[in-house]
Amino acid sequence: MSGFTKLLCFLMISVVGMISYDTRFLLGLAVFSAILFYCAEISYSEISFVLKFIAFFSLLNLLTVYLFAPEYGVTIYGTRHVIFEGIGRYTLTQEQLFYELNLLIKYFVTIPPGLIFIMTTNPSELASSIHRVGGSYKIAYAFSLALRYIPDIQEDFRTISKAQQARGNELSNKASLMKRVRGNLTIAIPLIFSSLERIETISSAMELRRFGKKKSRSWLLAKSLKRKDYLAILIVVLLCSVGIWLLVINGGRFYNPFK
């Protein structure tokens, strides 16, 4: 399919998945995303680092939500069913668990389409698709550069990690979890700064070549929308319509099973 189709479908699924808190709808979207991910045939080795990174921060986010707002689910659903009494305000309730379950499902809704979009889209083809449907080619080129650098950053991370392990700094599964986290953070921080320097170099090179002087430009790769593109967009639009309809039926974003 066209890169524009994959981008548009990813954005629509992500938006409706973030807005809705209807567990039934989110589970359906999660299954749909999982089927798409299976059909994409992306090998685990290609995305292992990204998946581990996402999983770590997803769990950290769930824990942070409970630490800072342990009664937020009670506030949302208007009832309070205590599972066990904790210390102070840290009482575990069914409402809080249900709310955080919805947050967890949202990750399974949005992450697979995002990985499919990143791993199966040629950056130049995506940029040309966005430009051909009326988007600014400057914004399109920014998307292209962002996608082009993700594999490079992953490869740099692996190279630095292997170099650190060759010097005796164990970062494999043999090391403890906290040691691996600290070791990966020491790699990630300088990697971010080196990436910023690389971006500055590219920006200077593009400016010297007078990028942005004209209103249009040609592209090496371009793909027009075909029947399968329109079919994919139609399916996602129908799914989003179901999400919007449930917002009206539920009288808001939240599905409340405690009523």
Side-chain angles (χ1 to χ4, degrees):
M1 290 188 297
S2 167
F4 172 76
T5 301
K6 286 181 277 191
L7 174 62
L8 182 61
C9 292
F10 164 59
L11 291 177
M12 286 194 294
I13 290 175
S14 298
V15 170
V16 74
M18 289 295 102
I19 291 175
S20 176
Y21 276 86
D22 191 308
T23 311
R24 303 161 298 179
F25 177 65
L26 290 177
L27 285 173
L29 278 183
V31 171
F32 177 72
S33 297
I35 293 173
L36 291 180
F37 190 76
Y38 176 78
C39 294
E41 298 182 352
I42 300 173
S43 64
Y44 175 74
S45 59
E46 293 179 302
I47 58 173
S48 59
F49 169 74
V50 175
L51 282 181
K52 292 176 183 177
F53 186 82
I54 293 174
F56 172 75
F57 280 98
S58 298
L59 293 175
L60 182 63
N61 179 61
L62 293 175
L63 178 61
T64 305
V65 168
Y66 178 74
L67 290 177
F68 285 94
E71 294 283 331
Y72 190 60
V74 175
T75 304
I76 291 173
Y77 299 110
T79 57
R80 194 170 190 270
H81 298 84
V82 178
I83 298 176
F84 67 84
E85 293 287 346
I87 300 174
R89 66 193 186 105
Y90 293 106
T91 299
L92 187 62
T93 61
Q94 295 181 18
E95 289 78 4
Q96 185 68 21
L97 281 181
F98 186 71
Y99 170 69
E100 299 212 13
L101 173 65
N102 286 322
L103 294 181
L104 180 62
I105 298 173
K106 285 175 182 288
Y107 298 136
F108 289 96
V109 170
T110 57
I111 291 173
L115 291 175
I116 293 172
F117 168 66
I118 292 172
M119 300 301 299
T120 65
T121 306
N122 184 288
S124 297
E125 189 269 325
L126 168 64
S128 64
S129 299
I130 295 175
H131 181 53
R132 290 185 65 177
V133 296
S136 169
Y137 76 87
K138 298 178 183 178
I139 297 176
Y141 205 80
F143 272 108
S144 174
L145 287 177
L147 290 178
R148 211 179 282 277
Y149 269 112
I150 290 174
D152 293 341
I153 292 174
Q154 283 184 286
E155 187 61 33
D156 289 345
F157 186 91
R158 293 192 187 101
T159 302
I160 297 172
S161 177
K162 291 178 181 178
Q164 291 290 333
Q165 293 183 63
R167 294 182 175 91
N169 186 11
E170 186 61 60
L171 298 176
S172 65
N173 293 332
K174 298 178 182 178
S176 64
L177 177 61
M178 291 306 300
K179 186 176 181 180
R180 278 183 287 164
V181 170
R182 288 195 298 267
N184 288 330
L185 285 176
T186 58
I187 297 174
I189 294 174
L191 187 62
I192 292 172
F193 284 106
S194 65
S195 300
L196 293 175
E197 291 178 2
R198 188 182 301 177
I199 291 171
E200 185 177 356
T201 302
I202 293 176
S203 299
S204 300
M206 292 171 64
E207 187 175 353
L208 289 172
R209 288 170 174 78
R210 305 183 73 181
F211 178 83
K213 180 179 182 296
K214 296 185 178 181
K215 294 183 179 180
S216 184
R217 60 161 291 166
S218 59
W219 299 93
L220 178 63
L221 296 175
K223 185 182 292 185
S224 58
L225 298 181
K226 298 180 181 179
R227 180 182 297 176
K228 57 185 178 183
D229 295 284
Y230 291 111
L231 178 61
I233 293 173
L234 177 61
I235 292 173
V236 174
V237 167
L238 290 176
L239 285 174
C240 293
S241 300
V242 172
I244 295 172
W245 177 72
L246 287 173
L247 291 177
V248 177
I249 295 298
N250 295 332
R253 301 166 59 195
F254 297 92
Y255 163 66
N256 191 349
F258 301 101
K259 288 183 177 179

